[in-house]
Amino acid sequence: MSSRNGAVAPAAFPPPVDPQREFIKRGLDPEEELIEVGVAIIGGGTAGLACANRLLALLAEDPETMERLGEVPVAVIEKAKTSGGHNLSGAVMRPGPLEELFPDMTREQWREEGFAFGEVRKEAIYLLPSARTKVRIPPPPPQRNHGNEVISVSALARYQQRQAEEAGAYILTETSATQLIVEDGRVVGVRSGDKGRGKDGEPLSNFEPGTDIKAQATVLAEGCWGHITGAAIREFDLAEGREPQVWELGVKEVWRVPKPLDRVIHTLAGWPLKISAKYHQIGGSWIYPMKDFKSGEDLVSIGFVIDLDYADATTSAHDLLQQFKTHPLVRGILEGGERAAWGAKAIPAGGYWAMPKLSMPGAVLVGDAGGMVNLAALKGVHYAIKSGMLAAEAIYDALGRGSSSFEPYEQAVEESIIGQELWEQRNTRQPFQKGLIRGGPVVNLMIATKGRFPGGRWSLHRNDEQPMFIGNSKDSYPRPDGKYTFDKLSSVFISGNATRDDAPNHIRVRKHVPREIAEGWRWMCPAGVYEIPEDAPEHGEVDVIVNYTNCVQCGAITAKGGRLTTPEGGDGPLYQLL
Ligand SMILES: Cc1cc2nc3c(=O)[nH]c(=O)nc-3n(C[C@H](O)[C@H](O)[C@H](O)COP(=O)(O)OP(=O)(O)OC[C@H]3O[C@@H](n4cnc5c(N)ncnc54)[C@H](O)[C@@H]3O)c2cc1C
Ligand code: SF4
């Protein structure tokens, strides 16, 4: 798959991984060796916890079904140190689904609990023609945010965890689900990962083997790149007849600022991206005000998102964010402030046609694991909450009938706000794969007509099929000054990342690849995981050094020719405010 001008596509160098063989376990261990739960929810993010919160509210009114689910009716399995530790979002949220989930709470109470930071009353959207200029444009309909709430998904997940625990959920944090257990064509639970293995997989003195967790229903809420979700999609052909999933990567910082920002700001396209078809960089930024109602502090959420379909191997979302902060528009907002948090995460961007089938015998997909993100609006939090709630309702109904078929959940998603909004934006991603200049006007037309014109079903190609060349984007990145602009390693440090130095490697990539691919990984990874030895040849194949303990589990490598698998539970970042 080497192509134009010697560019190389990562798809030609697939990672050494066989998801179905490695991540599907055929059959359960004997009864005495396993843990039995009613409903196992994999992932304590917004979606998984919304499922737990809603299910427990339903079960509280129905002691008979609660009893039938056994001693542990609802278990949430989360790989971070605490729920929220691995969650990151912009995050301006459409409030409806959260209001529905916690109907007794007011928005003031959300703010008092510390996960919400104020209602959006003003907004501005800019094109950036150059490093010093800006042009304000009216917000396109999907990007109107008036009345939405700025939140932190990481703080929201902590709140949801507390509510779930109080209602009777068993929350297993620091626990990775590493295998999906399938018996007689049906999902019957998951296996948790071993702990205490050394670099080469050898058991250390604190070794603890994983355990089979048997469940009457399993909810896959693993977020943007699901390790066992991917295996389930293959095992049950859930992506058959759909478009391939594609991704974007966002890098975010939270700043303490001396004066409050009074509006939500977005920038689209333009500087610092190279939007020509050759470089094919498409992306944008956000700046959101966050008022901490507990401390009275003024904070700002700022981030840069890049479509992972770019062609220049030296594209780096982290460095583009640093560059973006040097624009006078941004500098004026951050001036006199200090950085309080940093993190990175990928976003599923394919939309409606790329969503897999959402149910299989014994299990369902919710939130980002099911590809439920509206990229034109940069919104997924309200879908994560809504899909978690709908999954809870479908599972509750099915278990009440003694059934393990959760298919009604799919219809419920289709008829909800999720299906409606994603249908209207069904073709807004695809034209960008032809480049911003050719695709932009078509996208505008699609948005204006709510997808009716030009209509039809537009196809997507995978991000790893995009040939990459070594361009010069890297030459414009600013040298970190440690005050406004930062390097990757000091950023990983403030993410609270705590991966054991002698942990086994959880990143699967080929270690000997063409320089174009190796440079692509080196620049893309926001955590500086990939290195190329200094004495490596300028052309041809090079070795890649993988410093996997830096990984913040953003998931981007999976889009560009590698595979993020689950590390040992408890490893990775500990996000607080993201
Ligand atoms: C940069 C960026 C900006 C965004 N901006 C906005 C915005 O402004 N507004 C908006 O509405 N949406 C936004 N989104 C989208 C939104 O954040 C997501 O759609 C939403 O948070 C997804 O929630 P989730 O619970 O499905 O997944 P996640 O929040 O990713 O949660 C998944 C959880 O599962 C855990 N997990 C995964 N695999 C395993 C496993 N095998 N075992 C145990 N635990 C596991 C993870 O640790 C994580 O806690 C943005 C997303 C990004 C990345
Ligand atoms: S190594 Fe980790 S942090 Fe780096 S791109 Fe891959 S998943 Fe993201």
Side-chain angles (χ1 to χ4, degrees):
M1 217 177 282
S2 167
S3 85
R4 52 159 217 264
N5 309 328
V8 187
F13 300 87
V17 65
D18 179 349
Q20 261 168 291
R21 191 180 55 76
E22 296 180 60
F23 310 141
I24 303 270
K25 180 170 184 278
R26 311 272 160 200
L28 286 157
D29 283 352
E31 287 287 318
E32 61 281 8
E33 287 172 27
L34 48 77
I35 299 175
E36 202 163 341
V37 304
V39 178
I41 298 172
I42 317 309
T46 320
L49 288 163
C51 183
N53 298 138
R54 179 71 187 129
L55 192 53
L56 287 156
L58 292 166
L59 291 172
E61 307 287 314
D62 181 357
E64 210 179 293
T65 308
M66 180 82 126
E67 173 104 31
R68 220 172 318 131
L69 288 177
E71 267 175 52
V72 182
V74 179
V76 179
I77 295 146
E78 169 54 52
K79 63 181 161 56
K81 281 208 167 55
T82 168
S83 294
H86 292 174
N87 304 138
L88 177 153
S89 178
V92 166
M93 179 191 68
R94 297 209 173 124
L98 190 59
E99 285 169 337
E100 234 184 287
L101 182 65
F102 297 127
D104 299 332
M105 268 186 116
T106 62
R107 282 170 78 165
E108 283 68 35
Q109 285 168 319
W110 296 358
R111 294 166 201 150
E112 283 157 20
E113 288 292 344
F115 62 77
F117 301 92
E119 183 171 339
V120 180
R121 298 191 191 280
K122 280 189 184 172
E123 55 193 313
I125 186 153
Y126 296 99
L127 299 177
L128 300 185
S130 73
R132 304 210 59 80
T133 54
K134 61 178 192 294
V135 177
R136 189 164 173 183
I137 57 166
Q143 276 164 349
R144 289 186 195 141
N145 278 293
H146 193 86
N148 291 338
E149 183 82 18
V150 181
I151 63 157
S152 151
V153 280
S154 137
L156 172 60
R158 282 176 175 78
Y159 176 77
Q160 289 177 275
Q161 172 177 331
R162 287 199 298 278
Q163 296 306 303
E165 274 173 325
E166 276 169 29
Y170 178 43
I171 315 267
L172 279 115
T173 51
E174 304 196 56
T175 306
S176 287
T178 51
Q179 287 180 309
L180 188 73
I181 308 177
V182 177
E183 216 169 57
D184 302 325
R186 173 174 174 259
V187 175
V188 290
V190 294
R191 185 167 177 85
S192 64
D194 296 342
K195 288 190 176 182
R197 285 195 183 273
K199 262 191 167 51
D200 299 313
E202 72 285 9
L204 304 174
S205 56
N206 58 346
F207 177 72
E208 277 174 47
T211 314
D212 281 7
I213 300 169
K214 180 182 177 188
Q216 296 176 38
T218 302
V219 178
L220 300 180
E222 290 181 288
C224 73
W225 170 252
H227 166 79
I228 51 181
T229 304
I233 288 174
R234 278 183 189 79
E235 174 76 5
F236 293 97
D237 287 330
L238 304 179
E240 202 189 352
R242 318 282 163 123
E243 296 302 322
Q245 189 54 271
V246 294
W247 283 278
E248 305 215 337
L249 172 61
V251 176
K252 171 176 179 178
E253 294 181 353
V254 174
W255 279 68
R256 284 190 196 92
V257 288
K259 38 178 207 298
L261 177 67
D262 68 348
R263 66 197 60 201
V264 154
I265 296 175
H266 285 105
T267 70
L268 288 181
W271 186 88
L273 299 171
K274 294 186 190 315
I275 60 171
S276 66
K278 180 179 171 197
Y279 288 84
H280 192 48
Q281 292 177 338
I282 295 175
S285 75
W286 77 81
I287 314 176
Y288 301 152
M290 295 168 75
K291 179 87 192 168
D292 185 331
F293 287 81
K294 278 180 164 172
S295 66
E297 271 182 330
D298 287 303
L299 303 161
V300 157
S301 152
I302 174 167
F304 206 93
V305 178
I306 178 99
D307 183 344
L308 288 174
D309 204 42
Y310 58 76
D312 179 357
T314 71
T315 306
S316 159
H318 171 83
D319 294 290
L320 285 163
L321 173 61
Q322 305 313 310
Q323 197 179 349
F324 173 64
K325 289 189 294 181
T326 63
H327 194 285
L329 167 74
V330 190
R331 197 63 190 243
I333 295 166
L334 302 183
E335 197 73 48
E338 58 164 358
R339 186 169 75 152
W342 173 95
K345 203 159 196 301
I347 318 169
Y352 189 84
W353 300 120
M355 278 171 62
K357 181 171 160 39
L358 297 175
S359 77
M360 64 209 97
V364 294
L365 305 179
V366 297
D368 280 16
M372 291 177 243
V373 175
N374 176 348
L375 230 290
L378 191 57
K379 296 280 176 296
V381 177
H382 65 304
Y383 300 155
I385 297 169
K386 186 70 192 175
S387 62
M389 293 172 72
L390 292 173
E393 288 159 16
I395 289 170
Y396 171 77
D397 285 349
L399 295 179
R401 285 184 273 113
S403 161
S404 64
S405 164
F406 308 126
E407 287 209 1
Y409 163 63
E410 296 197 43
Q411 192 58 28
V413 169
E414 186 72 36
E415 285 166 8
S416 72
I417 183 179
I418 308 172
Q420 287 159 24
E421 290 183 2
L422 291 179
W423 173 249
E424 287 179 3
Q425 309 294 332
R426 59 196 175 279
N427 289 321
T428 47
R429 181 84 229 143
Q430 296 87 325
F432 282 136
Q433 291 202 324
K434 298 188 189 311
L436 183 75
I437 297 161
R438 278 179 67 199
V442 186
V443 171
N444 290 340
L445 211 56
M446 301 255 192
I447 289 175
T449 62
K450 297 194 170 171
R452 282 189 289 276
F453 189 77
R457 167 173 162 175
W458 287 50
S459 58
L460 286 162
H461 63 246
R462 293 163 52 108
N463 295 142
D464 60 4
E465 287 169 357
Q466 175 70 257
M468 310 242 284
F469 71 100
I470 300 172
N472 60 359
S473 294
K474 62 180 186 315
D475 299 342
S476 341
Y477 301 147
R479 186 183 288 272
D481 62 12
K483 193 163 180 243
Y484 288 106
T485 52
F486 300 90
D487 64 11
K488 291 179 175 177
L489 293 187
S490 61
S491 302
V492 173
F493 182 75
I494 67 161
S495 73
N497 197 17
T499 302
R500 212 163 31 89
D501 280 346
D502 59 351
N505 183 1
H506 63 287
I507 299 294
R508 303 279 188 90
V509 286
R510 297 247 198 130
K511 300 277 181 61
H512 195 67
V513 291
R515 184 147 201 138
E516 288 78 1
I517 307 284
E519 291 284 358
W521 293 341
R522 174 156 86 106
W523 287 101
M524 172 186 70
C525 176
V529 165
Y530 307 96
E531 263 182 76
I532 303 171
E534 277 180 17
D535 58 356
E538 276 311 302
H539 303 285
E541 301 219 336
V542 298
D543 290 327
V544 181
I545 301 167
V546 182
N547 301 309
Y548 56 89
T549 54
N550 286 352
C551 172
V552 292
Q553 302 175 30
C554 77
I557 190 66
T558 300
K560 284 289 204 196
R563 179 66 52 86
L564 168 67
T565 70
T566 42
E568 184 175 292
D571 283 355
L574 186 56
Y575 297 145
Q576 312 271 352
L577 257 181
L578 296 173

